[in-house]
Amino acid sequence: MPVSLLWAVDVHGRVYSLSSAGQQWELGRDAPMEFKRVTAAQQCCWSLGCDSSIYLNVFASDLPVRYKVETYENQRWNPVDGFSERLLPSDRWQWSDVTGLQHQPLHSFQLPSSSWEWEGDWYVDENFEGEPTEKEGWTYSIDFPSTYTKDKKWNSCVRRRRWIRYRRYKAMDTWAKIPSQPMSLPDPFSDISCGGWEISEEPGGRLSLWVVSLQGKVWFREGICHHNPEGSSWEEVPLPGEVVQISCGPGDLVWAVLWEGKLIVREGITRDCPRGLSWAVVECPSPEVGAIHVSVGNGVVWAVTKDNKVWFRRGVNSHNPCGSGWISMVGEMIMISVGLHDQVWAIGCEDRAVYFRQGVTSSELSGKTWRAISAPRDGERPHSSASSQQSAGRFFSGEVQAQSVVSDADSDVEKGSADGAIFTTPEPSLGSPTEPPSNPAVDAPKARIPKVTSDSFISELVSDRDQGKPSKDVLSVTPAVLEEEVIPADGEEILLCAGEALLSTESRGGPQWSNVDLEEAQTGAVLDLAETCSLSSVTTFTLTVEDGAEEHPMWAWVSGEGCSVDSSSQLNWFSSSANTTSVTQSVQSMSLSISPAQTAAWRRQIFEQLSERSRREMDDFKHYEQAIEQSVWVKKGAMQWWRDWKPHKWIDVQFAFEQFSGPDGNKDGILFIYYNYNEEKKYLHAFINEVTILVPVLNDSKHTFAIYTDERTKQRWPIRVAAATELEMYDWLALLSVSCCESRGIQGPPSKQAIWSITCKGDIFVSEPSPALEAVPYPTPCDQMFWRQVGGHLRMVECNSAGIVWGIGYDHTAWVYTGGYGGGFFQGLASSTDNIYTQTDVKSVYIYENQRWNPVSGYTSRGLPTDRYMWSNASGLRECTKTGTRPPSPHWTWISDWAVDYSVSGSTDREGWQYAADFPASFHGYKTMKDFVRRRRWARKCKLTTTGPWQEIPPIPLIDVTVLPCGAQSSVDTFPLWAISSKGDVLCRLGVSAQTPAGSSWLHVGTDQPFKSISIGAAGQVWAIARDGSAFHRGSVSPQNPAGDCWYHIPSPAKQKLKQVSVGRTSICAVDENGNLWYRQGVTPSYPQGSSWDHVSNNVRKVSMGPLDQIWIIADKVQGSQSLSCGTVCHRLGVQPIEPKGQQWDYGIGGGWDHITVRGNAMEPPRIGLLSQKDTAPPTSSSPLPVGIAEPNGTAVYS
Amino acid sequence: MADDKDVLRDVWFGRIPTCFTLNPDEVTEREAEPYYLLLPRVSYLPLVTDKVKKHFLKVMRTEDVEEMWFEHEGTPLKWHYPIGVLFDFHASNTVLPWSITVHFKNFPDVDLLHCPTNSMVEAHFMSSIKEADALKHKSQVVNDMQKKDHKQLWMGLQNDKFDQFWAMNRKLMEYPTEEGGFRYIPFRIYQTTNDRPFIQRLFRPVSTEGNPHTLFDLLKEMCVCASEENRFQVVIHGIEPLLETPLQWLSEHLSHPDNFLHICIIPAPTD
């Protein structure tokens, strides 16, 4: 899980954050003022300042927040001037938006706020629908409005071009005030909550921000999204009452607390309507004591009542946002914050410590116990006890509405006349905690107890020394000190909390409030006196201040909304004792080579002494006889086998594995499958040293795995066996894998040259290439390659020959290879102990809801008898119901509910439907007269947790990654690594080296449109494919200028949209959406863009070019002698400098393969004498590969 | 050596070069040659001395042969201790090869258990494993195993099959990560200065404060006078781990196949 932050505010209004990997609270030092409340998302934090304004702190990311503005320049041709800005009166504006309806001159574009800056000046877009245009970027047409072409024709009377400019959000990592609207809001804000980022599939950044004003109104911030973090405007949300506090979960839950203690729940929140439609009222947990605080998560609601009791709401989910009932929980809290994964934090009523709810899991949402977070605070000022007591005068409580503003000198004076004197420096609703100046004993009844109220007064009173009993005195003298339970204007019953004495002491040594606040306070003073009666929300509470209190100022507010931890997270918040340190270090350590435990002296000692023991006791006595002779070892079991002859079916067989030591000491073995054929006993066998791969195929019903040999690979027909249980299957797989590796003398982690591949199940396989693999003319056949599995789950993987390996999961998380091996089901001996980490992945399972139109009832789920299932898979051939559909394998668990998926290709209507004339047909996202059927896709997320030699690289999700391929003897130390974020941004990773394969940070490379594929060649040539299918070449990439300078638009092959590109040493290949493989002709060092695309092959899904310019692909369909396989690894034969496109394909492992990378294999094949003389030098010294990017375009041979 | 897994291999494949000589008091038909053998440290004497017996029987008359037993410098060697423990405890500072005297008469009933067949060893070995698992997992793991799994452990030891043994034994070495270790560490401490054969008590791998216990903590708790460090050596598998080594790690990596951590406290050589 990526590192994320827990936020909290102490009673002084200081904001602290605690990292999920950290051990101490970090003080936010750059805060412009004191804050009352914070609410955090993962990418930003919102806060409510003491001036009751809203502040936003967008966390700096390697990905900038940038926004493209565009406008069109329109021109018309006339015989005199040619094309000119002189338009016809009926024409559009000379500068307009794309439709021509809006007048948009360049100067009309203003920055939305002072937090933005322009990235550069306006420029003309020279890309038209994926095709480069003429220099000026004009597109031509007969007339407005019409279709435009990039070529000028004889009848082109009008033309237009697009101007582009980017603005960038610059206020990263600082608190930026959200400018108030011109028609300013009626009153200041008093509560704030953000969430809602899971409502839509929109990439990170969209969120819902709800605020409550002092008058109890609720406002919703419109338009917050990634490129507009500030949002655009406030919209008032109608209410059934006056709200004092609101909470918005990550999904569609929004609850609020009404003034009278009831709760309201927002209904009708959807992706189209994040504001929701209506409120429903929920009774508070106990009728006598109303609620004062509520916090919601994904599927939970926690509330606090005015007596500080904690309540958990049962049965809350999207369909039933109101839930079904309250459960009383242990603990007395003043506020609660529910974070990601429904984890819970709270602030204790007694000690004002931050508590974390332990043991909250998806099956036990209410958790087990409260545990106080005892992390020390950074920036704690040392205090003498005297000053500490005095300075405790100002507190913020969670409920405090504004800040107390008192000048030092005055307060002391006022204190003198304590009794009954109301010292008011009121400011819209503020909490004025007070503190006993002299009595340090907390629990002593005589302690003067400071009282924090939610109103705008600072009152100083002498305690009546009787905790828990309401004080009439206080009341009478401080009528404006209000409790939430006080009915306005009713002074009878006040201090519900124990504290009686309202002391407002202003301290000399304490922090200074800003003068601004003071001024504001005075302007609103009198008004608030009356108003706060009705407004003052929430609890008042007492603070008992003791000596130690100042060293640990009490907490007032905590926000865990952006804190991604769960019950299994390793947290170091609870004690800072020495033993946790090492854990932290190893968790945090991103330098993957050495973990502290490994270097421990005791471990070194054991390693050294064991070697020494071997020398002492064994080295001189090797000629002695061994006491135990080696013998054959047999493991047997009952299995099922997918029989070879028709009709194919599973039959029971005896499965046996015999292992023995070969003459050379290597272990070897034979697999036997004993079966009956026509009553006759027969067997099938396979030598372990001929097995090329073992592929687990775990599904719901069977625990199977496939065994391939080279012969079986040719036939596309593996031996398929099924074990009775999953455990048994993994026992066998682990044993057979180890035996296969042993028989081939392979052990430990994959080499730097290794070839990595990934199946459609996300399983990762790695193969050690032999030097002859790329030999010309007699390479090792591809079907003889031996593959072994590595733990983890990925969608793609890329590597280079320096051992830098990056992977991307199905959930777009980036992972870096740690140098370990094993993990997953490889336990014990087949796995390294170090460098194995937990890895998670999330993917969606899709099912389709199909409907047919009939004249009576419109679209219904009643289809024709010939129709597909009304709930089906994509093809319609298999029935898939919501209840019947299971996760892909037992390892996956559902983590969400079924939801309509709007991100289907070809767009949908508002309910997610796509229409067509009939099944199966091409669907479109709107209804026409001819449409009789419709379908929509439902998605449900599931999650896998496994282990493997991978460590996460947060926080940017990626869709593609590429690292510079280099020669076997490369002297480069940092390697360019490029990636594409899930939003399509191009990124360049800095600091990637063999020692730190994870690199240090991202450098963003601007593009005019989102990209989807990228590759860097051995000489630093960067090629990329944009989402519109066009290719780009990045110019001037060098070690000095790792991001290059500009993109050169390369036209795609005629009528084809490219989807993936790969660059080897000098060769460039790309795959288009129709499965064609294209080779870039005419690339020379002086003209790296090349001249044209040459067709190489069809039937290609993906291509990987290696540092020797070798070409490997995933082929779409390959026919074997027994069956057809889809998704097969293939190797291009005959690739030579004079024939870079090669001659034919050699077929390797498959089907079911999704990805391959050969970019680590820089092993030159052994040379054969009859090649030309320059190739006869020994492989080590011949043609040193272009090492890195210092030499533009390397030393490749151009024929 | 980079990986903890290699420790397991080194432990398993530890061998002690041994010279077996026949007790001169035995009646022989002709002079018996000494017999040299590499003994696996983790095994038991009856499992590895078939060849020794065969060798010496060649020179003896059958009527002179009773149960075979071994002795080193006058001390009878207990077959139910792992060979490595016997060596470390009795002979670690002697010259290699280890010289063992073979007897076929005068079985010392006071000192040794009889061992008529290897099934005695198996019974002893399996009961040790069960006892260790009772300490580690309240017997849950060993009870979940099937008969054939138990057999696999035993056969692995008997036939010196590291993979076969560890394929099963790793299950006995697992523990819930949140607990930081086993329930109790199965260990035995052998001391020359003590009358009792060995010390074995309940000891947790992690202290009540959550700190991992070290070898030092264990020795201190067991009142072993290891503090007089110069006078004693703490030997496990022929090596002297640092006293700061975490006990849980030791238990996982330096236990004998019987799943006990056998620790020998022996006087330091005086020179």
Side-chain angles (χ1 to χ4, degrees):
Chain A
M1 234 173 254
V3 171
S4 54
L5 299 177
L6 176 70
W7 291 80
V9 182
D10 72 6
V11 287
H12 297 288
R14 291 180 298 208
V15 177
Y16 289 82
S17 60
L18 176 60
S19 161
S20 56
Q23 295 178 66
Q24 72 166 5
W25 291 98
E26 300 289 339
L27 176 62
R29 294 176 194 281
D30 59 341
M33 61 169 55
E34 289 70 33
F35 288 122
K36 293 189 236 174
R37 296 184 178 188
V38 290
T39 175
Q42 272 181 299
Q43 73 279 5
C44 65
C45 185
W46 294 81
S47 69
L48 182 59
C50 281
D51 57 353
S52 296
S53 299
I54 304 282
Y55 290 81
L56 169 63
N57 186 348
V58 178
F59 306 153
S61 149
D62 295 330
L63 262 190
V65 173
R66 58 206 291 268
Y67 183 72
K68 177 166 79 178
V69 293
E70 59 177 36
T71 188
Y72 284 87
E73 181 182 6
N74 305 303
Q75 292 194 343
R76 178 174 284 281
W77 187 85
N78 67 55
V80 183
D81 311 307
F83 279 105
S84 79
E85 58 201 42
R86 221 166 300 155
L87 299 169
L88 295 180
S90 59
D91 278 342
R92 51 187 60 193
W93 305 94
Q94 191 212 324
W95 292 90
S96 73
D97 68 349
V98 64
T99 61
L101 302 174
Q102 192 87 37
H103 182 43
Q104 279 187 346
L106 295 180
H107 60 79
S108 69
F109 290 87
Q110 301 292 329
L111 291 174
S113 77
S114 58
S115 301
W116 292 85
E117 64 188 1
W118 290 113
E119 218 175 60
D121 206 351
W122 289 97
Y123 65 95
V124 168
D125 179 25
E126 290 176 355
N127 176 14
F128 179 69
E129 288 167 1
E131 297 284 321
T133 63
E134 295 295 313
K135 206 79 205 115
E136 304 249 277
W138 292 104
T139 57
Y140 298 87
S141 182
I142 303 173
D143 196 4
F144 301 117
S146 180
T147 51
Y148 297 84
T149 59
K150 70 191 181 76
D151 301 313
K152 185 157 86 170
K153 302 200 184 95
W154 63 270
N155 59 356
S156 298
C157 293
V158 298
R159 65 178 188 178
R160 70 171 187 185
R161 59 179 171 179
R162 187 163 74 134
W163 289 79
I164 294 175
R165 193 178 192 187
Y166 283 91
R167 57 179 153 86
R168 181 189 289 259
Y169 189 80
K170 66 177 179 188
M172 294 287 197
D173 268 350
T174 62
W175 294 99
K177 189 168 176 172
I178 299 298
S180 50
Q181 271 164 293
M183 37 171 288
S184 77
L185 298 169
D187 54 355
F189 295 125
S190 65
D191 188 36
I192 182 168
S193 179
C194 74
W197 47 82
E198 284 174 13
I199 298 176
S200 74
E201 311 79 36
E202 221 176 289
R206 202 218 73 82
L207 51 84
S208 302
L209 181 72
W210 300 76
V211 296
V212 178
S213 74
L214 270 179
Q215 290 180 348
K217 292 181 178 159
V218 167
W219 302 79
F220 180 84
R221 185 76 179 171
E222 287 286 348
I224 302 177
C225 59
H226 172 73
H227 57 256
N228 188 16
E230 302 167 292
S232 45
S233 62
W234 295 108
E235 296 294 329
E236 188 174 349
V237 180
L239 285 172
E242 283 182 6
V243 166
V244 293
Q245 189 254 329
I246 196 163
S247 174
C248 175
D252 51 8
L253 279 186
V254 174
W255 283 51
V257 182
L258 292 184
W259 161 249
E260 63 267 28
K262 285 185 179 168
L263 294 144
I264 53 174
V265 181
R266 193 70 177 164
E267 294 183 320
I269 294 179
T270 62
R271 71 193 273 279
D272 295 322
C273 183
R275 261 205 283 167
L277 300 170
S278 59
W279 295 102
V281 176
V282 169
E283 285 305 316
C284 57
S286 62
E288 315 86 63
V289 198
I292 53 161
H293 187 94
V294 68
S295 186
V296 303
N298 254 329
V300 297
V301 174
W302 292 71
V304 179
T305 45
K306 290 173 185 173
D307 50 3
N308 300 122
K309 291 233 162 39
V310 178
W311 301 84
F312 175 80
R313 185 79 175 169
R314 262 188 305 125
V316 179
N317 58 46
S318 295
H319 309 300
N320 181 21
C322 294
S324 49
W326 292 106
I327 302 172
S328 172
M329 307 301 287
V330 183
E332 296 210 330
M333 302 291 167
I334 58 161
M335 64 87 59
I336 282 195
S337 172
V338 180
L340 297 176
H341 315 298
D342 289 337
Q343 301 296 308
V344 182
W345 290 267
I347 292 183
C349 176
E350 283 294 310
D351 54 0
R352 298 299 149 109
V354 174
Y355 285 85
F356 176 58
R357 186 79 181 167
Q358 288 202 305
V360 175
T361 62
S362 55
S363 54
E364 193 172 359
L365 287 167
S366 56
K368 294 198 173 79
T369 53
W370 294 108
R371 187 164 180 195
I373 293 175
S374 59
R377 256 171 272 191
D378 139 61
E380 218 106 73
R381 295 161 306 159
H383 283 288
S384 72
S385 72
S387 76
S388 75
Q389 286 179 0
Q390 290 182 337
S391 66
R394 285 144 302 180
F395 296 94
F396 287 90
S397 74
E399 302 74 22
V400 167
Q401 301 285 316
Q403 131 203 29
S404 66
V405 182
V406 186
S407 79
D408 291 349
D410 286 351
S411 69
D412 280 339
V413 174
E414 293 295 328
K415 253 190 276 181
S417 59
D419 248 21
I422 303 171
F423 168 55
T424 60
T425 350
E427 212 223 290
S429 75
L430 61 91
S432 64
T434 57
E435 181 231 319
S438 62
N439 194 337
V442 197
D443 293 325
K446 309 222 163 168
R448 300 219 238 155
I449 296 152
K451 168 95 179 138
V452 176
T453 66
S454 52
D455 67 11
S456 53
F457 295 88
I458 293 176
S459 311
E460 183 175 288
L461 288 168
V462 176
S463 164
D464 70 352
R465 290 146 200 226
D466 188 1
Q467 289 197 25
K469 188 181 97 196
S471 159
K472 284 281 179 187
D473 282 353
V474 172
L475 273 186
S476 58
V477 294
T478 63
V481 174
L482 293 174
E483 307 283 37
E484 72 289 2
E485 300 203 331
V486 176
I487 298 156
D490 175 5
E492 280 306 296
E493 175 202 349
I494 299 200
L495 303 169
L496 100 128
C497 301
E500 293 54 56
L502 288 179
L503 291 189
S504 140
T505 64
E506 185 40 44
S507 70
R508 284 161 293 223
Q512 296 290 325
W513 301 117
S514 67
N515 289 331
V516 180
D517 294 337
L518 192 56
E519 284 159 18
E520 280 182 14
Q522 281 157 355
T523 62
V526 183
L527 165 88
D528 287 335
L529 219 166
E531 291 222 326
T532 43
C533 296
S534 59
L535 296 176
S536 87
S537 57
V538 218
T539 35
T540 63
F541 58 81
T542 38
L543 290 179
T544 50
V545 177
E546 57 193 299
D547 265 343
E550 184 56 25
E551 266 113 83
H552 302 284
M554 300 173 182
W555 294 113
W557 191 261
V558 63
S559 166
E561 286 97 329
C563 189
S564 179
V565 301
D566 62 28
S567 54
S568 60
S569 299
Q570 280 265 5
L571 297 174
N572 307 304
W573 297 346
F574 303 107
S575 71
S576 46
S577 63
N579 68 310
T580 56
T581 317
S582 66
V583 175
T584 323
Q585 284 170 345
S586 69
V587 167
Q588 287 179 322
S589 160
M590 281 301 283
S591 65
L592 303 161
S593 40
I594 307 161
S595 67
Q598 254 182 318
T599 60
W602 57 263
R603 189 185 306 253
R604 269 204 319 274
Q605 163 105 348
I606 284 172
F607 286 1
E608 282 164 13
Q609 290 207 353
L610 278 172
S611 324
E612 204 271 321
R613 188 194 75 175
S614 305
R615 262 198 317 281
R616 185 178 68 226
E617 298 181 352
M618 286 151 71
D619 276 9
D620 291 340
F621 304 98
K622 287 211 171 112
H623 55 286
Y624 279 30
E625 210 178 321
Q626 289 285 351
I628 301 173
E629 296 297 336
Q630 291 296 310
S631 54
V632 174
W633 175 51
V634 181
K635 182 177 163 83
K636 288 181 180 165
M639 298 268 241
Q640 285 195 309
W641 173 54
W642 186 250
R643 71 181 189 191
D644 269 347
W645 63 91
K646 286 183 176 167
H648 298 299
K649 63 173 187 181
W650 291 103
I651 57 170
D652 289 333
V653 293
Q654 276 295 316
F655 194 72
F657 169 55
E658 289 185 9
Q659 196 186 36
F660 45 83
S661 299
D664 49 355
N666 269 0
K667 298 248 179 70
D668 210 341
I670 308 176
L671 268 178
F672 293 94
I673 292 171
Y674 298 95
Y675 60 93
N676 287 314
Y677 183 70
N678 294 338
E679 310 290 309
E680 192 184 342
K681 284 206 164 192
K682 290 194 155 195
Y683 72 87
L684 178 85
H685 71 275
F687 291 101
I688 279 295
N689 62 10
E690 286 177 356
V691 170
T692 53
I693 187 169
L694 300 155
V695 189
V697 192
L698 187 64
N699 64 27
D700 217 26
S701 46
K702 273 242 170 326
H703 316 100
T704 70
F705 58 94
I707 303 165
Y708 283 91
T709 59
D710 57 343
E711 204 46 45
R712 296 257 167 195
T713 302
K714 279 192 193 79
Q715 295 167 355
R716 311 274 142 213
W717 189 260
I719 300 171
R720 263 166 277 204
V721 289
T725 66
E726 193 188 325
L727 195 69
E728 226 171 281
M729 163 184 153
Y730 283 130
D731 268 357
W732 275 109
L733 271 177
L735 172 71
L736 295 177
S737 300
V738 170
S739 304
C740 288
C741 289
E742 270 179 353
S743 75
R744 289 167 185 265
I746 293 171
Q747 57 170 342
S751 73
K752 293 173 177 178
Q753 314 287 334
I755 295 174
W756 296 73
S757 71
I758 290 177
T759 67
C760 57
K761 305 247 180 213
D763 290 330
I764 305 154
F765 288 89
V766 62
S767 177
E768 298 297 334
S770 69
L773 190 61
E774 299 296 340
V776 175
Y778 303 114
T780 309
C782 200
D783 52 28
Q784 289 178 13
M785 292 167 72
F786 172 70
W787 297 90
R788 60 177 163 146
Q789 197 171 352
V790 171
H793 189 265
L794 294 173
R795 191 211 284 275
M796 69 162 295
V797 63
E798 282 298 323
C799 64
N800 77 354
S801 56
I804 294 163
V805 185
W806 280 48
I808 298 175
Y810 276 69
D811 59 358
H812 303 306
T813 308
W815 301 89
V816 65
Y817 172 64
T818 61
Y821 58 97
F825 65 85
F826 294 101
Q827 291 175 340
L829 306 167
S831 176
S832 57
T833 338
D834 303 307
N835 296 327
I836 296 290
Y837 301 89
T838 301
Q839 191 184 25
T840 60
D841 207 351
V842 174
K843 68 176 181 183
S844 289
V845 171
Y846 300 107
I847 59 173
Y848 287 84
E849 179 181 9
N850 305 301
Q851 293 193 342
R852 177 170 287 279
W853 187 87
N854 68 59
V856 185
S857 42
Y859 282 105
T860 64
S861 56
R862 204 172 317 131
L864 296 179
T866 55
D867 274 347
R868 55 184 56 196
Y869 294 101
M870 288 295 107
W871 289 89
S872 75
N873 64 354
S875 68
L877 299 176
R878 198 152 53 85
E879 180 165 32
C880 299
T881 60
K882 276 189 187 176
T883 48
T885 303
R886 311 240 69 90
S889 87
H891 295 154
W892 293 85
T893 50
W894 294 124
I895 54 165
S896 75
D897 222 335
W898 288 107
V900 173
D901 180 14
Y902 300 90
S903 58
V904 197
S905 70
S907 80
T908 70
D909 72 2
R910 288 172 62 83
E911 288 179 311
W913 292 105
Q914 294 186 300
Y915 297 84
D918 196 2
F919 302 116
S922 68
F923 286 84
H924 42 258
Y926 48 89
K927 184 176 161 3
T928 68
M929 286 295 290
K930 291 185 211 141
D931 292 328
F932 288 96
V933 298
R934 65 178 186 177
R935 70 167 187 191
R936 62 178 168 180
R937 189 160 84 165
W938 292 76
R940 191 174 187 186
K941 284 187 189 146
C942 52
K943 181 175 177 179
L944 172 82
T945 302
T946 178
T947 58
W950 306 96
Q951 268 195 324
E952 181 173 352
I953 299 180
I956 299 177
L958 302 182
I959 52 172
D960 198 12
V961 67
T962 179
V963 52
L964 181 99
C966 53
Q969 320 88 26
S970 162
S971 61
V972 181
D973 41 6
T974 63
F975 299 96
L977 183 148
W978 291 61
I980 294 182
S981 80
S982 58
K983 291 198 206 70
D985 301 292
V986 176
L987 299 162
C988 181
R989 189 77 174 173
L990 303 178
V992 176
S993 67
Q995 289 73 42
T996 53
S1000 52
S1001 63
W1002 291 109
L1003 185 67
H1004 177 254
V1005 180
T1007 59
D1008 286 341
Q1009 57 170 322
F1011 276 33
K1012 59 184 178 185
S1013 170
I1014 195 158
S1015 185
I1016 182 170
Q1021 325 92 294
V1022 174
W1023 285 68
I1025 306 292
R1027 276 211 194 137
D1028 66 7
S1030 53
F1032 286 87
H1033 172 259
R1034 184 79 182 169
S1036 307
V1037 177
S1038 70
Q1040 292 73 39
N1041 185 14
D1045 59 1
C1046 64
W1047 292 107
Y1048 294 97
H1049 190 157
I1050 312 287
S1052 325
K1055 298 200 184 71
Q1056 299 291 354
K1057 291 188 166 197
L1058 295 177
K1059 67 172 186 186
Q1060 191 236 333
V1061 66
S1062 186
V1063 188
R1065 177 163 52 182
T1066 54
S1067 294
I1068 296 138
C1069 278
V1071 177
D1072 69 28
E1073 285 174 357
N1074 294 318
N1076 295 304
L1077 180 67
W1078 301 88
Y1079 174 82
R1080 188 70 184 168
Q1081 274 295 359
V1083 176
T1084 66
S1086 56
Y1087 193 61
Q1089 292 95 327
S1091 53
S1092 62
W1093 293 105
D1094 249 18
H1095 191 256
V1096 180
S1097 170
N1098 59 356
N1099 190 34
V1100 176
R1101 287 188 189 171
K1102 225 171 207 181
V1103 62
S1104 178
M1105 306 287 293
L1108 308 173
D1109 278 339
Q1110 68 267 45
I1111 305 174
W1112 290 68
I1113 58 155
I1114 300 294
D1116 191 28
K1117 290 190 175 65
V1118 170
Q1119 183 63 50
S1121 58
Q1122 291 219 25
S1123 81
L1124 175 87
S1125 76
C1126 298
T1128 302
V1129 170
C1130 294
H1131 177 205
R1132 191 74 177 168
L1133 300 183
V1135 175
Q1136 295 177 69
I1138 46 162
E1139 192 163 8
K1141 286 158 62 183
Q1143 289 151 340
Q1144 57 179 321
W1145 295 113
D1146 181 29
Y1147 304 106
I1149 189 64
W1153 254 251
D1154 262 3
H1155 186 87
I1156 185 167
T1157 179
V1158 296
R1159 297 170 68 80
N1161 183 16
M1163 244 191 297
E1164 293 276 354
R1167 300 287 162 152
I1168 293 173
L1170 36 119
L1171 292 181
S1172 65
Q1173 76 176 79
K1174 65 172 175 288
D1175 288 334
T1176 51
T1180 44
S1181 61
S1182 79
S1183 74
L1185 290 173
V1187 168
I1189 42 195
E1191 277 173 286
N1193 269 359
T1195 60
V1197 182
Y1198 294 96
S1199 50
Chain B
M1 197 190 302
D3 202 286
D4 288 353
K5 291 293 177 299
D6 299 329
V7 174
L8 300 181
R9 278 183 186 277
D10 276 21
V11 164
W12 182 274
F13 291 106
R15 297 283 187 268
I16 299 167
T18 312
C19 171
F20 290 94
T21 45
L22 190 64
N23 174 25
D25 296 348
E26 303 284 342
V27 183
T28 59
E29 294 180 317
R30 55 180 187 274
E31 194 177 347
E33 298 278 321
Y35 193 72
Y36 296 93
L37 206 54
L38 283 174
L39 297 184
R41 273 181 161 268
V42 295
S43 193
Y44 297 89
L45 282 171
L47 299 185
V48 296
T49 47
D50 283 351
K51 290 177 175 180
V52 178
K53 194 169 181 178
K54 236 180 260 167
H55 172 81
F56 289 115
L57 287 184
K58 281 189 276 189
V59 297
M60 296 179 66
R61 286 178 308 176
T62 28
E63 58 269 30
D64 295 329
V65 175
E66 292 165 31
E67 186 173 349
M68 180 170 69
W69 59 282
F70 303 96
E71 161 254 310
H72 168 74
E73 289 178 358
T75 318
L77 297 175
K78 296 185 170 68
W79 62 262
H80 60 282
Y81 289 179
I83 291 166
V85 172
L86 293 171
F87 176 78
D88 291 342
F89 193 60
H90 299 299
S92 59
N93 292 310
T94 60
V95 181
L96 289 173
W98 184 20
S99 81
I100 291 182
T101 312
V102 183
H103 296 257
F104 287 96
K105 279 195 305 209
N106 305 325
F107 193 89
D109 292 299
V110 189
D111 296 314
L112 298 184
L113 298 169
H114 284 281
C115 180
T117 66
N118 280 357
S119 60
M120 275 290 284
V121 187
E122 180 179 0
H124 166 73
F125 173 71
M126 287 316 300
S127 73
S128 290
I129 282 193
K130 286 174 187 165
E131 182 182 353
D133 199 56
L135 294 169
K136 290 199 282 194
H137 309 105
K138 297 183 183 169
S139 300
Q140 275 161 0
V141 180
V142 80
N143 286 346
D144 280 351
M145 287 182 177
Q146 298 171 2
K147 183 79 190 137
K148 68 177 168 94
D149 299 336
H150 291 173
K151 207 74 189 169
Q152 186 172 334
L153 287 169
W154 165 245
M155 297 296 281
L157 176 76
Q158 193 181 26
N159 298 326
D160 193 26
K161 296 285 185 199
F162 176 75
D163 296 328
Q164 184 181 359
F165 177 81
W166 269 99
M168 200 46 67
N169 195 52
R170 66 174 172 80
K171 297 183 184 171
L172 294 167
M173 290 296 175
E174 285 166 0
Y175 55 88
T177 36
E178 64 270 17
E179 281 166 29
F182 304 134
R183 249 166 64 81
Y184 298 104
I185 298 288
F187 69 93
R188 282 172 186 168
I189 297 176
Y190 303 83
Q191 275 177 294
T192 44
T193 56
N194 205 318
D195 294 339
R196 285 183 298 166
F198 51 76
I199 302 174
Q200 179 183 341
R201 270 187 263 160
L202 293 184
F203 192 75
R204 292 193 185 266
V206 177
S207 72
T208 44
E209 296 86 47
N211 299 324
H213 275 139
T214 62
L215 182 57
F216 179 79
D217 298 330
L218 174 77
L219 298 178
K220 196 174 68 183
E221 178 82 14
M222 299 304 139
C223 303
V224 176
C225 43
S227 53
E228 307 160 61
E229 254 181 65
N230 297 331
R231 290 180 41 218
F232 291 97
Q233 287 178 298
V234 179
V235 181
I236 306 172
H237 286 292
I239 64 169
E240 292 179 72
L242 292 181
L243 293 182
E244 73 217 44
T245 311
L247 202 56
Q248 173 66 29
W249 191 94
L250 283 176
S251 182
E252 284 172 61
H253 296 89
L254 292 188
S255 283
H256 274 268
D258 65 3
N259 277 255
F260 275 88
L261 187 60
H262 295 270
I263 304 166
C264 297
I265 314 283
I266 55 170
T270 42
D271 50 13

